[in-house]
Amino acid sequence: MVKKYFISLIILFLSIQIGSIQEIAKAQTPVTQITPKKSICSTQLSSAINNIINRPQFSRVRWGILIKTLSSDNILYSQDSQKYFIPASNMKLFTTAAALQQLGADFRIRTSIYDDGNGVLRVVGRGDPSFKNAQLTILSKQLYQQGIREINQLIADDSYFQGEVVNSSWEWEDIQADYGAPVNSLIINENAATLTISPQTIGQPLKLEWAEPTEAYWWKIENNTITTQANEPGFVEVNRDLKGQIIRIKGQLAVNSHPEITGLAVFDPITNFIRQFRQNLAREGITVKETVRSDYHNNDKEIAAVESPPLSKLLIETNVNSNNLYAEALLRSLAIKKPAETNQNTADIGLEVVRETLTQLGVEPEGYVIVDGSGLSRKNLTTPAALVQLLQGIAKSSQAEVFRASLPIAGVKGTLKNRFINTAAAGIMQGKTGSMTGISALSGYVNAPNYQPLVFSIIVNQSEQPGRVMRTAIDEIVVLLAQLKRC
């Protein structure tokens, strides 16, 4: 009996130790925050949120907040919810909701090759943002299987989207990077190039490697970098010349440091597409004598084609990963729903369709100003109320389930994967993030277990605080919503 009691004590002791070790491991895991999973009465919500947003560090920050129950107009909290804020990538909620409503979940974007006779082939793009080298290979194989071994003239028809490939209000530092890539009809590899920068031996310039080796012949690089002693601090700056083709790189990395990867927007998307296609055709055994650009329209004889994944999948990439190129391509795809005037900008037509769709969903027209589809422009404006109206309107539509599936999930996937870990909001909040210098935003849904479903929009503007500080404060508010209970 004594022996059994002694063994029981040992087991209990080990259990306590193992539990303590597990808690220590959790505490060492990098998370946004760890909040006890307690409850809060709905009557206490306003004071709890005010305690967060009225901290001294936020004295110069503009907060726009609206929290409502999803199925009614019951307002739980409001702070300047009718005033304009720059929404950053929360703008994608407007674009993707309109695309889903107007085009349908099964909509696909087709890229075609037509035979114009006499060895002349014409590739016609329609703005498929998911088009990559794999799709070029499929097209090349289709041509080879039809016995084509030589093309006298390959025409690239990029005329499906009309207007500038870059919004005039985007900032220069954005359009250099892959997240600000140009948007045209013939997109390949998201119109971006990936460069890996690695240390070499001490005193040598950093090593530059392109994901696609032939890029090395396309760009002109000024490499003003150096490999330094082990453990020395490092930095790398990559800038593209205004003319596009010249890249200036400066900085240093320690010999024992990890490589840095940067993405650059291509400066001539059509030339980039033609070059990639020509290389792909050559690998399949098809030679090309001449390549030209043209907007000649004669779509009688399609001999090869590929289609994008359905819109439901494109929306997931757009919202879950906050992909700007996808959002801008979908905005332009909406133009097919409205007759175009001669030489009218395709993006402008898409914006008209978005506005009409938002009105149909119950969003007040005076609640927003939209100038692009992605939110990269600082000329975009919206009220938190307009975003909540959108989220409520789409939740009542037949496309509600598809739309919700396109949103990041707290602590699980997308831009929210590393936020809300070990909090009450993990797994039960879906929302769209937004981030620019001085701006943080989060709008979405919370399925609070002890309360009815909620919809919210939180936007911070004119912040001098680091982005992580603002995100943490926003997350604290959302965790409160996940902990709500009726009192």
Side-chain angles (χ1 to χ4, degrees), residues 38-227:
K38 58 185 179 181
S39 297
I40 178 174
C41 290
S42 56
T43 55
Q44 300 172 314
L45 182 63
S46 291
S47 61
I49 293 176
N50 288 336
N51 287 338
I52 296 171
I53 69 174
N54 291 328
R55 292 169 183 164
Q57 67 197 110
F58 302 143
S59 61
R60 291 178 174 83
V61 170
R62 288 188 65 225
W63 287 87
I65 306 174
L66 183 60
I67 302 164
K68 299 175 70 173
T69 53
L70 178 58
S71 59
S72 71
D73 288 327
N74 182 24
I75 297 176
L76 277 68
Y77 185 89
S78 179
Q79 167 70 33
D80 285 345
S81 62
Q82 298 291 340
K83 292 186 178 180
Y84 279 144
F85 291 82
I86 301 171
S89 282
N90 269 208
M91 187 56 60
K92 293 182 177 71
L93 291 171
F94 291 138
T95 307
T96 53
L100 186 56
Q101 289 292 104
Q102 294 295 334
L103 303 175
D106 296 326
F107 173 78
R108 295 172 186 262
I109 302 172
R110 191 175 183 88
T111 302
S112 305
I113 296 180
Y114 297 93
D115 187 349
D116 290 349
N118 299 318
V120 177
L121 300 185
R122 187 163 43 87
V123 56
V124 177
R126 298 179 179 89
D128 177 5
S130 68
F131 194 96
K132 294 182 171 61
N133 280 327
Q135 283 67 44
L136 278 183
T137 299
I138 293 171
L139 288 175
S140 299
K141 288 184 180 298
Q142 289 180 10
L143 295 178
Y144 190 88
Q145 288 167 2
Q146 294 185 48
I148 296 174
R149 300 292 182 271
E150 184 178 85
I151 300 172
N152 291 330
Q153 187 179 70
L154 178 64
I155 301 172
D157 187 339
D158 191 48
S159 64
Y160 191 74
F161 290 164
Q162 294 290 317
E164 297 297 323
V165 297
V166 170
N167 189 291
S168 61
S169 62
W170 288 359
E171 296 184 352
W172 171 240
E173 65 180 354
D174 291 331
I175 63 175
Q176 297 180 73
D178 53 356
Y179 62 82
V183 185
N184 64 313
S185 309
L186 285 167
I187 297 169
I188 177 71
N189 299 329
E190 298 187 25
N191 283 347
T194 302
L195 179 65
T196 299
I197 304 171
S198 310
Q200 299 197 88
T201 56
I202 296 172
Q204 293 296 310
L206 299 178
K207 182 180 179 181
L208 309 178
E209 290 182 286
W210 294 98
E212 172 58 52
T214 58
E215 294 285 353
Y217 303 102
W218 184 242
W219 300 88
K220 297 177 181 178
I221 297 180
E222 297 177 4
N223 186 356
N224 298 307
T225 63
I226 191 169
T227 305

Side-chain angles (χ1 to χ4, degrees), residues 335-388:
I336 65 173
K337 305 301 293 186
K338 200 175 186 69
E341 299 176 5
T342 304
N343 296 324
Q344 188 176 4
N345 189 307
T346 308
D348 289 342
I349 304 172
L351 290 171
E352 291 178 23
V353 178
V354 171
R355 296 184 190 103
E356 293 172 0
T357 308
L358 294 181
T359 299
Q360 295 167 10
L361 288 170
V363 183
E364 297 176 359
E366 60 273 17
Y368 59 86
V369 176
I370 307 179
V371 301
D372 70 12
S374 62
L376 263 181
S377 173
R378 289 178 178 265
K379 289 187 177 181
N380 291 306
L381 296 170
T382 185
T383 65
L387 283 164
V388 167

